[in-house]
Amino acid sequence: MVDQSRQFDRRKYLQLSGAVGLAGVGLAGCLEDANGDDDAGTDDDDADDDADDDSQEIVAGTAPGFEPFEMVIDGELVGFDIDLLEAVVEETDYELAGWEELEFDGLIPALENENIDVIAAAMTITDEREETISFSDSYYSADQSVLVQSGGDVQPDDLEDLEGLNVGAQSGTTGEGIVQDELIDEGLIDEGDYDSYDNYVLAVEELERGTLDAIIIDEPVAESFAADREVEIAFTFETGEEYGFGVRQDDDDLQAALSEGIEAVEESSEYDEITQEWFDE
């Protein structure tokens, strides 16, 4: 189990520290303008430095409700992806300016529209997505699980056992793709038997109430819900999925920097510490 109160305090400290740092930068700028000194061309030099700093700032986008990768606790954004991206960016020449919270299927459009610069949302690297965006090297491997109500009548052993049942998944996820490819296209369930959700929290709530029979979801997220809710994993099947940080296709420098940052964090003890924090492993 994640120590939520401790995680909240640490994240709040980091955010407050960041706010103080930004306030200091703003104050320094005001004092410089007030002095109006042109000694040795320092104004031009500072302007060049500011332009360089601005060009290195990036905004990350994520989709809370995907425990333990990204969620909101006491109003604060926390999770494995949050900690990992912050650690990775620290290894680069970029600066993480902030986070945008979006629905999962809104992340790629936001990236394309340049509202965000990187996606950190347990997003699986797929051929279809790579037609639109690029990915860093992978940073996590996961399979898919089928989640059911604890002690309920529905206890499937494989995908074929979901025939005729009401199945749910999060919109835009690989879980939804499996529902389409393995269940609907194979004639095991009808289109009307599938319910799409903006996030998995809503789907799990329906599952607990018994209005949904099963959910297809990434294994580590399923394990997190099973630990906290009245749901359980019926079975898990291998998909060979790899998560990566998403960037725009023309942003080769950021893509390379993130991949190098992932390698540096993995080679240090920090990756293991973050994994232990959120997965207790």
Side-chain angles (χ1 to χ4, degrees):
M1 290 289 291
V2 174
D3 185 345
Q4 295 180 346
S5 62
R6 179 164 61 85
Q7 184 68 13
F8 166 74
D9 290 340
R10 185 173 64 81
R11 289 282 300 136
K12 186 173 183 181
Y13 170 78
L14 290 174
Q15 290 194 346
L16 289 174
S17 298
V20 170
L22 290 174
V25 172
L27 179 60
C30 291
L31 292 175
E32 179 184 357
D33 290 342
N35 291 335
D37 293 335
D38 293 328
D39 295 343
T42 54
D43 286 348
D44 290 339
D45 292 341
D46 289 342
D48 290 341
D49 290 341
D50 289 343
D52 290 341
D53 290 342
D54 290 342
S55 67
Q56 297 297 312
E57 287 189 348
I58 57 173
V59 175
T62 193
F66 206 64
E67 301 182 27
F69 290 92
E70 40 267 336
M71 59 272 201
V72 174
I73 298 176
D74 295 333
E76 299 297 329
L77 181 64
V78 297
F80 177 83
D81 279 337
I82 312 306
D83 286 351
L84 181 61
L85 182 65
E86 290 177 352
V88 166
V89 173
E90 282 291 324
E91 299 290 338
T92 73
D93 293 329
Y94 291 86
E95 178 182 349
L96 187 57
W99 289 86
E100 290 290 333
E101 299 173 19
L102 304 162
E103 298 294 352
F104 188 83
D105 57 4
L107 288 169
I108 290 179
L111 184 66
E112 292 181 297
N113 294 335
E114 299 188 8
N115 293 324
I116 60 175
D117 302 297
V118 57
I119 296 172
M123 182 171 282
T124 301
I125 302 170
T126 66
D127 292 339
E128 181 179 0
R129 287 177 178 147
E130 287 186 312
E131 293 176 0
T132 306
I133 66 173
S134 294
F135 285 94
S136 68
D137 290 345
S138 66
Y139 63 82
Y140 197 89
S141 302
D143 293 317
Q144 290 288 313
S145 293
V146 172
L147 207 58
V148 298
Q149 188 182 45
S150 295
D153 295 332
V154 177
Q155 295 293 329
D157 292 321
D158 52 39
L159 290 175
E160 286 74 16
D161 291 340
L162 299 178
E163 183 174 4
L165 299 181
N166 188 208
V167 181
Q170 180 171 307
S171 175
T173 63
T174 49
E176 182 175 65
I178 289 171
V179 172
Q180 182 65 52
D181 297 340
E182 303 294 335
L183 300 180
I184 296 175
D185 290 352
E186 294 298 322
L188 294 176
I189 67 172
D190 297 328
E191 291 277 359
D193 294 328
Y194 170 60
D195 289 329
S196 178
Y197 296 86
D198 288 337
N199 63 70
Y200 273 116
V201 174
L202 301 176
V204 170
E205 289 173 352
E206 292 292 322
L207 188 61
E208 288 181 299
R209 284 194 288 266
T211 57
L212 190 64
D213 293 320
I215 296 171
I216 297 183
I217 184 172
D218 298 52
E219 180 184 12
V221 187
E223 291 174 346
S224 181
F225 279 123
D228 297 331
R229 304 293 194 102
E230 294 301 313
V231 297
E232 62 187 30
I233 296 175
F235 64 93
T236 296
F237 54 100
E238 292 186 5
T239 57
E241 292 181 51
E242 300 282 345
Y243 297 161
F245 296 128
V247 299
R248 285 182 288 277
Q249 288 188 332
D250 60 352
D251 210 341
D252 297 338
D253 290 343
L254 178 56
Q255 180 187 25
L258 292 175
S259 294
E260 291 170 3
I262 291 170
E263 182 178 6
V265 171
E266 288 179 339
E267 289 179 350
S268 72
S269 62
E270 195 164 9
Y271 185 89
D272 291 337
E273 291 170 359
I274 295 171
T275 301
Q276 177 69 29
E277 173 75 17
W278 292 106
F279 299 99
D280 193 27
E281 62 183 40

